[in-house]
Amino acid sequence: MCSNAKSTDESPKKFGFYRDIMDWIASVAPGGEERIVPFDFGGAAEFKIPKTLETEIHRYLMPYTLHPQGGYVAYISNGRVWGTSGAILTSDGKLIFELSPEYDGRQNRMMTLEEHPALHRRKAQEHHRLHGTAAVLTFCGSHNYFHWLYDVLPRLGMLRMLNVPFESLIMNPNPHGSFVKETLSMFGVSESTVIRTRDDWEFKADRLVVPSLMMNSHYPPWTTAILRTFMLPKRDTTIHSPVRIFISRSKASARRIANEDKVIRHLETYGFIPVCLEDWTVAQQVQLFASAQAIVSPHGAGLANLAFCSKGTLVIEIFHIRHIVPTYWMISNHNKLDYSMIYGQEDGTRQDRFSGLEDFSVDLARLEQTLCLAGVTHPK
């Protein structure tokens, strides 16, 4: 049940914060409902250096061993959720920063605590009371397919593994509702339980349950394992899945390959089939990656589906030379895939523009050499 009423403006002078969950738990009185339940993400994971022709490998792709920080589920009595991003507030309106990341889209970086809009909120909010337990899976980047798969769904998996009951599920609005609805169904959640955050709304629940963020534990291999547990059994095995695929970004709005037609023609001689993942359901994408033996792709959210590949699958990721993000190298290490990388070439765009949005080209000779290095041979 949900009731609502208009509130009056609140002064930012009244607002405080807790930097992290331990700061908050140390402040609560013993004997109440407030608590944190630990969650074990497993042991250490090793990340190996990629195969590459590049003489300078970005520091993000250098080998290391990860000892995941432990996770938790926080129980917050009369907790509140504010704004579109879904900032987590205590019963008296204090921000829990660790659970409330915010992204600055103009500067393309995460906000600092001092910049957090929840500390500067002035506008009167429409308050909604939620009776019972509300689980909160908000994340500022949840509209993106990778962040949905790796920053939202594993947290739902934590609740499933701990058998945490809830009456409602608070999530961000999402313009890409098709993959949201489909994946929630794979995790056994009905859309009817979902409540969406809004800019001018604040929710207050009898009890909030909030799983810790995956990014704070550096995306341990457990995140990939839990996606496989819930999503692999729901893949669409009725479709024909080519064993060698090239992931096209021709329908994307940014970070496209300027000479993609030439790249595709070159790869077709090796038996690669170009696919636009926008044309596939999630269940079909899971099957596509689970069946693939070799994948070539520019860096992009669709590579989150590497979570469903079999051990030893060949992967070649193509980066913009000034935009190196280790996300899919990380997943490849989780699944013990055979990972290689290559840098794309500048397209002449001004370098003061955010490189993560720039198109780039691929040197076909270097692509050929990388295919050889990765062990991709012409089909017989």
Side-chain angles (χ1 to χ4, degrees):
M1 296 292 293
C2 176
S3 59
N4 64 78
K6 286 285 185 180
S7 74
T8 57
D9 286 353
E10 294 183 88
S11 167
K13 293 180 181 178
K14 296 181 181 178
F15 304 140
F17 62 86
Y18 297 102
R19 189 171 293 276
D20 56 40
I21 201 67
M22 298 311 295
D23 189 15
W24 168 71
I25 202 67
S27 74
V28 301
E33 291 190 358
E34 292 86 356
R35 68 188 193 278
I36 55 174
V37 176
F39 193 93
D40 184 6
F41 287 126
E46 291 195 17
F47 293 82
K48 298 181 179 180
I49 197 165
K51 292 180 180 177
T52 185
L53 300 170
E54 309 299 346
T55 55
E56 293 187 13
I57 300 177
H58 196 281
R59 60 188 175 86
Y60 290 168
L61 303 176
M62 297 302 287
Y64 70 101
T65 300
L66 169 71
H67 296 272
Q69 177 179 318
Y72 60 84
V73 173
Y75 289 73
I76 307 171
S77 183
N78 291 306
R80 297 154 67 175
V81 180
W82 176 83
T84 303
S85 290
I88 306 301
L89 312 177
T90 58
S91 60
D92 58 352
K94 292 183 179 179
L95 172 72
I96 303 180
F97 179 64
E98 181 181 324
L99 292 173
S100 310
E102 284 279 358
Y103 188 75
D104 186 331
R106 290 173 296 180
Q107 299 192 48
N108 298 294
R109 62 170 177 80
M110 301 302 291
M111 291 186 182
T112 65
L113 171 59
E114 293 73 20
E115 296 169 331
H116 202 289
L119 296 181
H120 308 282
R121 61 191 191 274
R122 298 176 184 273
K123 184 180 177 181
Q125 299 297 310
E126 186 173 326
H127 283 218
H128 292 256
R129 181 76 195 196
L130 302 176
H131 300 291
T133 299
V136 187
L137 299 179
T138 52
F139 184 76
C140 57
S142 63
H143 58 279
N144 174 275
Y145 185 69
F146 164 76
H147 289 296
W148 176 259
L149 255 62
Y150 271 82
D151 288 293
V152 179
L153 290 181
R155 299 169 72 206
L156 179 55
M158 291 170 67
L159 299 179
R160 287 282 181 255
M161 293 297 98
L162 292 174
N163 294 314
V164 176
F166 52 85
E167 283 73 47
S168 54
L169 190 58
I170 301 177
M171 299 183 130
N172 308 101
N174 200 315
H176 311 294
S178 57
F179 73 68
V180 171
K181 184 176 181 180
E182 191 176 354
T183 51
L184 286 179
S185 177
M186 291 174 170
F187 276 73
V189 172
S190 169
E191 269 281 328
S192 63
T193 65
V194 176
I195 296 172
R196 304 288 180 187
T197 57
R198 281 178 52 171
D199 220 9
D200 55 348
W201 285 19
E202 180 175 294
F203 296 98
K204 187 173 184 178
D206 294 339
R207 182 185 307 102
L208 293 183
V209 290
V210 191
S212 59
L213 299 182
M214 294 298 108
M215 61 189 296
N216 290 352
S217 295
H218 303 286
Y219 302 104
W222 181 91
T223 53
T224 295
I226 200 69
L227 293 175
R228 294 175 66 87
T229 296
F230 282 93
M231 296 177 68
L232 268 177
K234 304 295 177 64
R235 65 189 185 273
D236 184 354
T237 57
T238 66
I239 63 167
H240 169 69
S241 303
V243 295
R244 292 185 174 183
I245 57 175
F246 169 73
I247 308 301
S248 169
R249 286 184 59 84
S250 60
K251 295 186 177 182
S253 60
R255 212 182 321 110
R256 295 160 297 199
I257 295 180
N259 61 335
E260 182 177 278
D261 288 346
K262 292 181 179 179
V263 170
I264 289 174
R265 286 198 295 272
H266 189 86
L267 290 173
E268 283 177 337
T269 66
Y270 283 88
F272 283 85
I273 304 297
V275 296
C276 291
L277 295 179
E278 295 90 339
D279 300 333
W280 299 62
T281 68
V282 175
Q284 290 171 339
Q285 291 181 50
V286 175
Q287 172 66 8
L288 181 68
F289 279 73
S291 303
Q293 297 175 6
I295 300 166
V296 177
S297 176
H299 175 82
L303 282 178
N305 291 306
L306 292 174
F308 312 113
C309 288
S310 299
K311 178 180 178 181
T313 301
L314 292 171
V315 178
I316 299 175
E317 183 174 9
I318 309 171
F319 290 104
H320 185 293
I321 196 167
R322 291 189 290 109
H323 185 68
I324 312 301
V325 181
T327 309
Y328 309 115
W329 170 71
M330 170 196 76
I331 299 173
S332 296
N333 277 277
H334 288 175
N335 271 346
K336 295 182 170 51
L337 310 184
D338 191 348
Y339 178 93
S340 303
M341 56 77 65
I342 181 176
Y343 295 139
Q345 314 303 309
E346 298 277 5
D347 71 343
T349 308
R350 295 195 329 265
Q351 292 199 9
D352 59 350
R353 186 186 182 198
F354 177 52
S355 55
L357 300 177
E358 287 185 1
D359 296 342
F360 59 92
S361 61
V362 177
D363 184 295
L364 297 184
R366 291 186 68 77
L367 176 61
E368 173 70 20
Q369 291 174 300
T370 302
L371 289 166
C372 180
L373 178 68
V376 179
T377 59
H378 288 281
K380 297 179 180 179

